[in-house]
Amino acid sequence: MKKKLFTAIIILGISISYAAHAQTNPKSTIFPTGTTLFGDIPYANDTLKKHLLDIYLPPVKKASYPLIIWIHGGAWMLNDKYADMGYMTQTLKAFADSGYAVASIDYRYSTTAVFPAQIRDCNQAIEFLYDNADKYSLDKNRIALIGFSAGGHLASLLTLSNNNNVKAFYPDKQKPKFKIKLCLDFYGPSDFTTLKGNDSPDPKSPITLLLGATVANRPDLAKTASPVTYIDKNDPPFLIVQGEKDESVNPAQSVSLSARLKQAGVQNELIIVPGAPHYGVMFDAEYIRKSIFSYLNAYMQ
């Protein structure tokens, strides 16, 4: 009797713990029942709120899961690790149903720390996941990135610079050990020298706040922050998704990225979503999901 009571108390404790976790995570209900959540994990050995990440493990238990790392958008100065999930619900469910773990990361705003703080944070978060892969049942040799808008920029920049040694992009100036297998770039800026709004005189424009200077005053920094700078033949494949009517990131950014990758011999596909704005449910379409999983099946196995 005592043993049964003890077991019941343990089960109740676990249930309460998970319920409390779910309440503090506004997107946990998007994922299938049985998803395991590790929430608000500090990845930088400090107490900064922007140095946290969440891990979602699929309901079907395995020794390890291939990992998709979610990098949110918000002009490098807005939103958090839950952003963009609300209009990509079917894609997130498909990730879990297909046995992929998802880790969503936060990074410092440009209003707090200028570039390259954001890419340093992303590198540090992924290195943390790589180093702790066994603890969280992750396959450290199968890592893909997915990013949206500013997050698409960071995902592309991290992927393309990964086989370089850009010391300024790493918090300890040491090249990380992880490798990226695939980048899923949703309407991320690729070249600050041609990005819409780069000539704005407003000191509070997103680009100026990110770089800490205008593109005209710091063309060198604009080049350093541009993903296209790092393209070479050894880069992993890209799936690039862009809205035809994007009012924030001019579609030419994605067209140019795709063309430059092709010129370098890097496998990529560009999807221009007819009539689509900068973000929203039009990007959660089944035909886009089919392309996503075509790339995942080809390059994450």
Side-chain angles (χ1 to χ4, degrees), residues 172-218:
D172 57 3
K173 301 190 184 302
Q174 297 296 313
K175 191 176 186 298
K177 299 181 289 294
F178 65 82
K179 297 295 182 184
I180 303 302
K181 301 278 284 185
L182 171 66
C183 184
L184 307 171
D185 167 25
F186 282 68
Y187 40 88
S190 65
D191 186 350
F192 284 105
T193 66
T194 59
L195 178 60
K196 177 182 176 181
N198 73 354
D199 56 351
S200 172
D202 184 358
K204 294 185 178 180
S205 76
I207 301 170
T208 299
L209 285 173
L210 176 68
L211 300 178
T214 63
V215 171
N217 288 336
R218 288 295 308 273

Side-chain angles (χ1 to χ4, degrees), residues 129-190:
L129 290 164
Y130 181 92
D131 289 340
N132 291 276
D134 290 343
K135 180 179 180 180
Y136 295 108
S137 301
L138 306 174
D139 186 341
K140 66 182 180 182
N141 296 314
R142 290 193 288 169
I143 299 175
L145 305 185
I146 184 169
F148 302 82
S149 190
H153 160 258
L154 293 170
S156 297
L157 181 62
L158 194 151
T159 300
L160 294 170
S161 66
N162 184 243
N163 57 10
N164 293 262
N165 188 7
V166 189
K167 292 183 178 180
F169 287 3
Y170 320 129
D172 57 3
K173 301 190 184 302
Q174 297 296 313
K175 191 176 186 298
K177 299 181 289 294
F178 65 82
K179 297 295 182 184
I180 303 302
K181 301 278 284 185
L182 171 66
C183 184
L184 307 171
D185 167 25
F186 282 68
Y187 40 88
S190 65

Side-chain angles (χ1 to χ4, degrees), residues 1-276:
M1 182 66 184
K2 286 184 178 179
K3 185 176 180 181
K4 289 182 178 179
L5 179 60
F6 178 76
T7 301
I9 290 171
I10 292 296
I11 292 172
L12 179 60
I14 291 172
S15 300
I16 291 172
S17 174
Y18 182 82
H21 232 152
Q23 288 172 2
T24 60
N25 185 310
K27 302 302 180 184
S28 59
T29 56
I30 291 174
F31 293 84
T33 301
T35 296
T36 299
L37 166 65
F38 298 98
D40 289 337
I41 304 168
Y43 64 77
N45 197 31
D46 60 27
T47 59
L48 291 183
K49 185 178 179 182
K50 288 301 174 185
H51 282 167
L52 300 175
L53 59 82
D54 297 334
I55 300 172
Y56 305 84
L57 299 185
V60 176
K61 304 309 174 189
K62 295 182 179 180
S64 66
Y65 304 90
L67 175 62
I68 299 172
I69 297 172
W70 188 279
I71 307 179
H72 73 81
W76 306 280
M77 60 179 175
L78 298 166
N79 296 334
D80 54 29
K81 53 190 166 70
Y82 310 119
D84 304 296
M85 290 185 169
Y87 61 85
M88 295 294 290
T89 57
Q90 297 307 308
T91 299
L92 281 167
K93 289 175 182 176
F95 287 159
D97 289 340
S98 300
Y100 288 91
V102 174
S104 183
I105 66 177
D106 263 329
Y107 52 87
R108 285 171 289 172
Y109 290 159
S110 59
T111 50
T112 300
V114 297
F115 184 86
Q118 295 70 32
I119 195 67
R120 284 178 182 168
D121 288 352
C122 290
N123 268 303
Q124 190 167 17
I126 300 172
E127 187 78 345
F128 172 89
L129 290 164
Y130 181 92
D131 289 340
N132 291 276
D134 290 343
K135 180 179 180 180
Y136 295 108
S137 301
L138 306 174
D139 186 341
K140 66 182 180 182
N141 296 314
R142 290 193 288 169
I143 299 175
L145 305 185
I146 184 169
F148 302 82
S149 190
H153 160 258
L154 293 170
S156 297
L157 181 62
L158 194 151
T159 300
L160 294 170
S161 66
N162 184 243
N163 57 10
N164 293 262
N165 188 7
V166 189
K167 292 183 178 180
F169 287 3
Y170 320 129
D172 57 3
K173 301 190 184 302
Q174 297 296 313
K175 191 176 186 298
K177 299 181 289 294
F178 65 82
K179 297 295 182 184
I180 303 302
K181 301 278 284 185
L182 171 66
C183 184
L184 307 171
D185 167 25
F186 282 68
Y187 40 88
S190 65
D191 186 350
F192 284 105
T193 66
T194 59
L195 178 60
K196 177 182 176 181
N198 73 354
D199 56 351
S200 172
D202 184 358
K204 294 185 178 180
S205 76
I207 301 170
T208 299
L209 285 173
L210 176 68
L211 300 178
T214 63
V215 171
N217 288 336
R218 288 295 308 273
D220 59 322
L221 188 56
K223 182 178 179 181
T224 299
S226 295
V228 295
T229 300
Y230 306 95
I231 293 174
D232 64 58
K233 64 180 182 181
N234 298 314
D235 291 322
F238 268 67
L239 175 63
I240 306 163
V241 186
Q242 173 73 52
E244 180 192 25
K245 302 295 185 181
D246 193 321
E247 70 284 0
S248 298
V249 176
N250 42 309
Q253 292 282 301
S254 291
V255 173
S256 175
L257 174 60
S258 178
R260 294 192 192 195
L261 288 169
K262 184 178 181 180
Q263 186 177 27
V266 178
Q267 174 63 39
N268 78 93
E269 178 184 346
L270 171 63
I271 299 175
I272 301 291
V273 183

